[in-house]
Structure formats: C-alpha cells, structure tokens
C-alpha cells in the first residue's frame, strides 16, 4: 500500500496530533487544561495507523470528533488535531510553518511563533467549526497552493542556504534516481480496517 512509499519507509513523514488517555472528559477540555499531549508519529505498523494519525492531525476539536487510536499493546487513547498542544509544529528551526487562517497578528502568543506562510486572502477562523460552501473550499485549496508556491519562489533559496551554512545539510546521495512509486492497491488497504 501507500506505506511502501520511500518517504514513509525512511521515516521522513512526521504527523503531529494531540493524544490523551482520559475518556471521561471531552477532548476540547483536555486540551484547554493541559491533559492532552503532543505526539509525533513517523513510523506506522499498518496503513490504518497512518490514516488515523492524518485524520486526527486534520480534525480540529470543533469540526471533527476525536478518533480512538489503539497501540500495539491494545491501549486505546483519544487523538485529535494538535491545536492546543502545538499550533505550529516544527521538526527543527528550518521547518516551514503554515497558518491556515487569517486571524490577525498573534498578539497573545497562541501560535507559538510567526508562521512562514499565511493566507493572502481572508480565511475566517470560524470556518474551522463551520466550513464554507464547496465552491469556497475549492478556492481555498487553490489559494493555499498559490501561497505556498509564492513562498517557495521568494524564500526557498534563502532557507536552503541557511540549512547549508548551518553544517547540518543532509548528505546528498550521488547518482540516486528519482523516486518512482506505484501503489498496487490505490492506497485503500486501510479502508476496511477502519470502517
């Protein structure tokens, strides 16, 4: 399946989400009182584990229910978007951060820093709980693509230069061919395991 892609096999995909083992309190309250903890997943035993991590990382407490994740030992925990544990997750100081809403400056430090990429048009914070029409969502996908493309054009060379001058640039493998990957099951092996 899709976990056979080299990016997954080499642990280059990191997914951040919030997790808590307490099932008595709603996830939103657990995040607000500090009971939810940040988790970063980069290896997955089965495709369903990757799917649950992606769904959790993209479901705000307001717009999606927490998901139940079961570890290898059979322990269940609630997982959801990491908005209350780390709103701008970073792998290191060279990570590119993205803020999905145009909610003004981060006066109270809620985001934990300044995002590299923010929407260039108005994107209401209320849309986290009450999504707009399908037509507007299509426009937002295009807006995100264009905003990322503009950032890459303006800042990628500078960011790569900073990585190189830090002395921590990954060694480039000479003669490595481009990644070619074909998913035999169209990436749907997880579907029956979750639903």
């Amino acid at each position: 399946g899709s976990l056979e892609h080299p990016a997954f096999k080499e642990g280059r995909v990191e997914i951040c989400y919030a997790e808590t083992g307490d099932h008595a309190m709603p996830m939103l309250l657990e995040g607000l009182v500090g009971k939810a903890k940040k988790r970063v997943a980069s290896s997955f035993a089965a495709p369903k584990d990757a799917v649950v991590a992606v769904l959790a990382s993209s479901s705000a407490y307001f717009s999606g229910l927490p998901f139940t994740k079961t570890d290898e030992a059979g322990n269940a925990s609630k997982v959801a978007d990491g908005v209350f544990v780390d709103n701008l997750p970073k792998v290191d100081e060279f990570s590119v951060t993205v803020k999905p809403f145009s909610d003004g400056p981060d006066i109270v430090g809620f985001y934990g820093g300044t995002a590299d990429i923010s929407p260039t048009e108005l994107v209401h914070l209320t849309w986290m709980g009450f999504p707009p029409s399908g037509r507007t969502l299509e426009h937002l996908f295009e807006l995100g693509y264009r905003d990322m493309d503009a950032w890459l054009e303006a800042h990628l060379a500078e960011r790569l230069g900073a990585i190189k001058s830090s002395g921590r640039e990954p060694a480039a493998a000479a003669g490595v061919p481009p990644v070619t990957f074909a998913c035999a099951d169209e990436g749907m092996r997880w579907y029956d395991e979750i639903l």
Side-chain angles (χ1 to χ4, degrees):
S2 53
L3 285 182
E4 298 302 312
H5 190 282
F8 279 100
K9 291 177 86 169
E10 296 166 10
R12 293 184 282 137
V13 175
E14 292 190 350
I15 303 171
C16 299
Y17 55 90
E19 180 177 40
T20 181
D22 185 356
H23 295 281
M25 189 183 296
M27 188 83 178
L28 173 62
L29 292 177
E30 291 177 294
L32 290 172
V33 299
K35 290 182 87 177
K37 303 297 178 206
K38 176 183 175 180
R39 298 290 182 245
V40 179
S42 60
S43 64
F44 308 95
K48 71 176 181 138
D49 297 331
V51 170
V52 169
V54 168
L55 289 173
S57 74
S58 58
S59 67
Y61 298 99
F62 311 109
S63 64
L65 298 174
F67 296 87
T68 300
K69 177 180 177 295
T70 307
D71 65 16
E72 296 81 24
N75 301 316
S77 60
K78 288 190 299 188
V79 294
D81 186 275
V83 71
F84 291 111
V85 294
D86 188 356
N87 209 33
L88 282 175
K90 296 180 177 185
V91 174
D92 58 27
E93 69 270 23
F94 304 114
S95 296
V96 176
T97 56
V98 179
K99 183 172 80 166
F101 302 103
S102 41
D103 54 353
D106 187 20
I107 297 169
V108 296
F110 180 70
Y111 283 108
T114 303
D116 294 305
I117 304 162
S118 297
T120 53
E121 295 178 16
L122 180 63
V123 178
H124 298 280
L125 184 62
T126 57
W127 287 347
M128 177 172 39
F130 305 99
S133 70
R135 183 174 179 194
T136 301
L137 286 173
E138 287 179 21
H139 174 71
L140 292 176
F141 284 114
E142 178 66 23
L143 176 65
Y145 177 86
R146 290 179 184 213
D147 289 344
M148 176 59 82
D149 189 52
W151 186 90
L152 290 170
E153 286 291 323
H155 302 285
L156 181 60
E158 173 188 341
R159 186 64 55 99
L160 292 174
I163 293 169
K164 189 172 189 168
S165 67
S166 73
R168 295 186 303 175
E169 181 180 22
V176 175
V179 172
T180 57
F181 176 74
C183 187
D185 62 4
E186 296 182 10
M188 298 301 293
R189 188 171 56 191
W190 60 271
Y191 188 80
D192 291 330
E193 295 177 31
I194 290 182
L195 300 178

